[in-house]
């Protein structure tokens, strides 16, 4: 009989897929975690030009092309005022691989990882893959992560805590003060803070800050990607930034599991990051209009809706049976418990879909809400 590793036996297939599969083909899908816009023209052309010029036929350097890492470094300077050496960056196969590298390089058998609950599904899975022990912690009423909760949960076994702002599945944005606190905690407790910033540019109220801005302890690593900002989920291009020592450990894993990120995707990413950013502004403005539409609609139904300030998700509190009623009526939303035990009683609605579909879906939700009340 084939024996499987204990680590992989502790990982289950994401509950989100199950919801998609249960819904009919004609369903309106508000379960998706990807923007519904095309990849910007200048990113696509950069890839096509690189392919035609034969630049993408060979492996690149393990960390990624120098020019892409220069673009990422310039982006850090532009957005966060941080000087990042190109040697302290690895281009990865999306934010997902970046998170995997962080975990493999820092989490040992039995080490604890603290992360938000509800939170992105990969945090638990990747903690298990690394042999660690998940420690999902509850959120504030507004669905942000309280630094005090993180601090209370740190033990001598804690390897890392994960901060994700703007958040999936919540859309919550951590304040600058919170980010300063996370930086302080990482420094004082000498524990790694993993800042997952894949939604960094999709912010409507306030502004995004990274804990990396507030400490030079080397105890913060930043994970980000082109996926959400540039509507490039299919390209699979992200990055991880950290101290030279940490990057060197992550490279030991990356060079054997990936060799290098896909070369065409690296050129597309460079085009996206170096090119005009007004496409991002337009996308964010559209998301904001849709956020207002959905939040107003759900509030009018009498639901309690913590207001999302970023990403493209809203997470209302919903009555018992609501998700099933909505699904039965042909609209896919994801039950909150797919994101952790504290997600129970909530649903995640993605508004990365057209206004027409959102309006139709809100009508369905209105009916479903009446049916379960
Ligand atoms: N982090 C968060 C919070 C996400 O929501 C996602 C994707 O949904 C990722 C990381 C992974 O992004 P990528 O598609 O770049 O692997």
């Amino acid at each position: 009989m084939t024996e499987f590793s204990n680590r992989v036996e502790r990982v289950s297939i994401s509950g989100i897929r199950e919801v998609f599969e249960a819904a009919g083909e004609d369903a309106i899908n508000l379960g998706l975690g990807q923007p519904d816009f095309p990849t910007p023209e200048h990113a696509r052309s950069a890839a096509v030009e690189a392919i035609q010029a034969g630049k993408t036929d060979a492996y690149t350097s393990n960390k990624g092309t120098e020019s892409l890492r220069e673009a990422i470094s310039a982006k850090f300077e532009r957005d966060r005022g941080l000087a990042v050496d190109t040697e302290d960056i690895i281009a990865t196969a999306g934010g997902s691989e970046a998170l995997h590298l962080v975990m493999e390089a820092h989490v040992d058998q039995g080490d604890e990882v603290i992360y938000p609950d509800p939170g992105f599904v990969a945090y638990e899975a990747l903690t298990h893959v690394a042999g660690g022990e998940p420690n999902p912690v509850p959120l504030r009423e507004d669905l942000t992560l309280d630094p005090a909760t993180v601090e209370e949960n740190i033990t001598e076994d804690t390897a890392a805590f994960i901060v994700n702002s703007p958040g999936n599945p919540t859309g919550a944005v951590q304040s600058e003060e919170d980010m300063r606190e996370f930086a302080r905690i990482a420094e004082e407790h000498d524990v790694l803070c993993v800042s997952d910033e894949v939604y960094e540019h999709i912010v409507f109220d306030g502004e995004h800050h990274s804990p990396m801005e507030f400490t030079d302890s080397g105890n913060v690593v930043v994970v980000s990607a082109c996926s959400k900002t540039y509507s490039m989920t299919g390209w699979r291009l992200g990055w991880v930034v950290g101290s030279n020592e940490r990057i060197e450990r992550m490279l030991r894993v990356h060079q054997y599991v990936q060799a290098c990120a896909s070369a065409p995707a690296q050129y597309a990413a460079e085009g996206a990051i170096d090119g005009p950013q007004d496409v991002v502004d337009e996308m964010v403005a559209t998301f904001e209009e849709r956020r207002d539409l959905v939040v107003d609609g759900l509030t009018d139904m009498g639901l309690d809706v913590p207001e999302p300030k970023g990403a493209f998700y809203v997470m209302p509190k919903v009555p018992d049976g609501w998700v099933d009623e909505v699904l039965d009526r042909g609209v896919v939303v994801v039950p909150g418990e797919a994101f952790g035990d504290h997600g129970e009683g909530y649903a995640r609605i993605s508004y990365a879909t057209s206004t027409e579909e959102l309006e139709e879906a809100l009508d369905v939700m209105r009916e479903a809400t009446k049916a379960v009340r």
Side-chain angles (χ1 to χ4, degrees):
M1 195 186 93
T2 314
E3 292 272 342
F4 298 107
S5 69
N6 290 329
R7 286 170 294 111
V8 85
E9 289 295 17
R10 293 181 75 187
V11 178
S12 45
I13 298 297
S14 161
I16 303 180
R17 278 272 144 236
E18 285 165 27
V19 181
F20 291 166
E21 276 153 26
E25 277 196 355
D26 299 332
I28 298 179
N29 194 345
L30 306 187
L32 289 177
Q34 58 186 349
D36 56 323
F37 301 99
T39 297
E41 168 54 32
H42 54 269
R44 290 196 256 174
S45 327
V48 170
E49 279 161 28
I51 291 168
Q52 295 296 8
K55 288 183 180 172
T56 57
D57 298 347
Y59 296 121
T60 70
S61 139
N62 292 133
K63 284 183 180 172
T65 63
E66 183 66 29
S67 55
L68 171 59
R69 286 179 289 123
E70 274 165 12
I72 295 169
S73 172
K75 173 185 149 39
F76 262 81
E77 181 75 55
R78 174 171 88 209
D79 298 338
R80 311 273 152 258
L82 287 172
V84 171
D85 194 299
T86 55
E87 285 306 311
D88 299 344
I89 300 169
I90 305 175
T92 57
S96 303
E97 195 219 346
L99 287 169
H100 184 203
L101 297 182
V102 175
M103 299 296 225
E104 290 293 348
H106 295 92
V107 178
D108 256 330
Q109 195 73 32
D111 282 355
E112 284 177 23
V113 179
I114 297 168
Y115 56 83
D117 177 358
F120 178 45
V121 288
Y123 303 149
E124 179 186 332
L126 293 176
T127 301
H128 284 313
V129 169
E133 292 299 324
N135 184 4
V137 296
L139 304 177
R140 295 172 175 133
E141 268 299 297
D142 68 357
L143 301 181
T144 55
L145 177 63
D146 190 341
T149 308
V150 170
E151 197 160 22
E152 281 157 21
N153 274 274
I154 290 177
T155 69
E156 57 184 25
D157 292 326
T158 306
F161 66 92
I162 303 176
V163 177
N164 172 217
S165 179
N168 174 12
T170 60
V173 173
Q174 301 288 151
S175 67
E176 178 177 344
E177 201 186 329
D178 285 347
M179 292 307 205
R180 282 183 191 277
E181 274 295 281
F182 291 130
R184 178 194 62 77
I185 292 166
E187 195 168 326
E188 272 184 33
H189 295 267
D190 199 17
V191 60
L192 180 68
C193 170
V194 184
S195 186
D196 178 345
E197 304 183 11
V198 299
Y199 298 95
E200 62 183 312
H201 293 286
I202 311 177
V203 177
F204 319 125
D205 307 312
E207 55 181 35
H208 173 74
H209 283 282
S210 171
M212 194 177 260
E213 292 167 42
F214 307 118
T215 174
D216 50 17
S217 64
N219 281 353
V220 177
V221 295
V222 171
V223 164
S224 195
C226 285
S227 308
K228 317 287 176 174
T229 304
Y230 301 107
S231 198
M232 287 176 65
T233 51
W235 291 84
R236 312 308 305 132
L237 201 289
W239 52 87
V240 55
V241 171
S243 71
N244 203 261
E245 256 194 307
R246 296 188 191 281
I247 288 294
E248 198 272 331
R249 298 310 187 285
M250 291 186 242
L251 190 63
R252 294 183 196 186
V253 182
H254 175 74
Q255 69 175 348
Y256 294 116
V257 298
Q258 192 72 26
C260 64
S262 149
Q266 290 191 50
Y267 285 99
E270 194 183 321
I273 297 168
D274 275 347
Q277 302 298 303
D278 49 347
V279 280
V280 179
D281 299 339
E282 283 163 27
M283 190 174 77
V284 173
T286 306
F287 279 140
E288 186 172 356
E289 281 169 25
R290 293 178 188 170
R291 189 265 319 248
D292 294 346
L293 174 76
V294 176
V295 169
D296 289 351
L298 295 169
T299 309
D300 285 349
M301 289 169 216
L303 299 181
D304 181 357
V305 194
E307 193 175 30
K309 296 187 162 59
F312 38 74
Y313 310 108
V314 51
M315 217 181 183
K317 277 189 189 158
V318 294
D320 279 352
W322 189 88
V323 170
D324 287 337
E325 280 292 334
V326 172
L327 285 172
D328 286 349
R329 289 170 158 79
V331 173
V332 178
V333 297
V334 185
E337 55 267 32
F339 304 97
D341 290 348
H342 289 102
E344 204 180 330
Y346 290 87
R348 187 191 77 173
I349 298 168
S350 160
Y351 46 87
T353 190
S354 70
T355 306
E356 296 70 44
E357 284 207 318
L358 288 173
E359 278 167 349
E360 214 179 302
L362 283 167
D363 289 341
V364 167
M365 290 178 204
R366 204 166 290 116
E367 291 305 312
T369 309
K370 280 187 206 145
V372 292
R373 279 241 162 94

